[in-house]
Amino acid sequence: MDGHIYADNAATSRLDKCAFDAMLPWLSGEYGNASQPYSFARKPKKALAEARETIAKCINAQPDEIIFTSGGTESDNWVIKESALADLERRAMITSSFEHHAVLHSCMAIERLEYPVAYVSPTMEGVVTAEALKTLITDSTRLVSVMFANNELGSIQPIKELCQVAHAHGAYFHTDAVQAVGHIDIDVRDLEIDFLSSSAHKFNGPKGIGFLYVRKGINLSPYADGGAQEFGKRAGTENIASIVGMATALKANCDAIRENDVHLRMLERELIDRLNAAGILFTRNGGSNTLPGLMSLSFPGKSGEVILHRLDLMGISISTGSACDSKNTEISHVLKAIKLDEELALGTVRISLGKNNTQEEVAQIANALIKVIK
Ligand code: PLP
C-alpha cells in the first residue's frame, strides 16, 4: 500500500528480500523431494541440512536438535500435549497466565483430560519471577512452560532462573520464544532450555514455517507419524523453500542483532519523546527489559480500539493486543494478568516497530497519535 506505515511487527513481519531470493529456486526448478535417493534430490537434501545447521548456530544448538514445524502454534501444541501424555505418573504442568493462546489453549486441552495445570501470575511489570514459580512447583511437575518474551508487552523473562527452578524439581523447561528469536540473543545451552518454539514470520521469514528445539537426550514422541522426515518425529515431505527462507532470514537478523537493537531503541525514544513533548498523558507497560521496538502504551480515558481505527484511516497499522485478539474488544488476558487498571487497559495499544521502520515513519505515527488523543 502506497504511503502505508506498518507498525505491527509483533503480529507478523515483512519477508526479507534475501529470504525471498533464497526461496525461489526451491519453488521452481529445484522441486525434488529431499527424501529420495537419486541425484535430483541431492540439492534439496543439502539445502535442508545447511538450513538446519544455520538455524542451530543462531541459538547455539546442534543441528539434530532442530525440528522443522509449521510455526509457533504447532511447536507449542506439540511440546505441551506430548509431554502431558508421556508420563502417566508425573504429569503436572505449570505455565503462566499471560502466555499466547497457542500455549494456554493447549493447556486447557490437557486439563480437559484431567491433567493438572497450575498458572503462575506475572508481576505488574510483566515478569514471571523464579520466586513465584517456586510457590507452585512440586516434584510431580513434569513440564514448566514460560514464554521468552510476552507478545503484548515485550517483557523479557528471566529464563535461566526459571529453567533452574524447573530442573531443581526434575521438570523440563519449555519456552515459547516466538517473539524473541532473531530479535535478542538466545543461547539455549547457556540458558539450559529443554524445548524452544519459534516461528519464521516473526523474524522476516515466510509464514507457515517454524521450528522446535528439543535438547539432545530428551525423547519427545512424534507429532505426526508417517515417513522418516525430521528424525521420525514429524513426518511429511519437507517444505524446502520455506525452510531455506527461514534460515536465511534468521541469519540476516542474528548477524544484525546489535545494529537492529540500536536502531529500534532510537525509534522507541523518538516516539516517546514526541508524545511527551506534546504533553500527551500515557504510561508504558512491560517494565524496563523489553524487546526492541515493542511498545505497549496506555492512554488513560481513551479507547485503544478507537485509536487503532483512527490510525488505520490515516494509513498506519498498529494493534490493541495480540494479533489473535484483534476481533475481541474485551480486555486482553495479558493486561488482566498484569492487573492493569481497567481504564488504562481499555486505552492500551501495541506499537511494534521493526528494523524496516524509519525515523520519519515514527514521527508520522507520533503525529497521528497526538492528533487522535488530544
Ligand atoms: N506464540 C507467540 C508468543 C506468538 O506471538 C505467536 C503469534 O502471534 C504464536 C505463538 C503463534 O505463532 P504462529 O503464528 O507461528 O503459529
Side-chain angles (χ1 to χ4, degrees), residues 10-11 70-74 76 100 102 147 149-151 176 178-179 198-202 208-209 322-324:
S70 67
T73 301
E74 179 182 317
D76 288 343
H100 188 271
M147 66 205 317
N150 183 272
N151 49 309
D176 173 342
V178 165
Q179 293 291 340
S198 179
S199 180
H201 72 103
K202 307 287 188 178
I209 191 80
S322 67
C324 319

Side-chain angles (χ1 to χ4, degrees), residues 90 92-94 133 137-145 162-174 192-195 215 218:
R90 187 185 183 122
M93 141 126 206
I94 300 177
L133 178 59
I137 199 161
T138 70
D139 286 349
S140 31
T141 306
R142 179 178 164 81
L143 182 74
V144 175
S145 179
L162 296 171
C163 274
Q164 286 169 347
V165 174
H167 292 160
H169 290 267
Y172 291 119
F173 188 86
H174 165 248
E192 302 169 32
I193 292 167
D194 298 308
F195 305 103
R215 186 170 55 75
I218 299 179

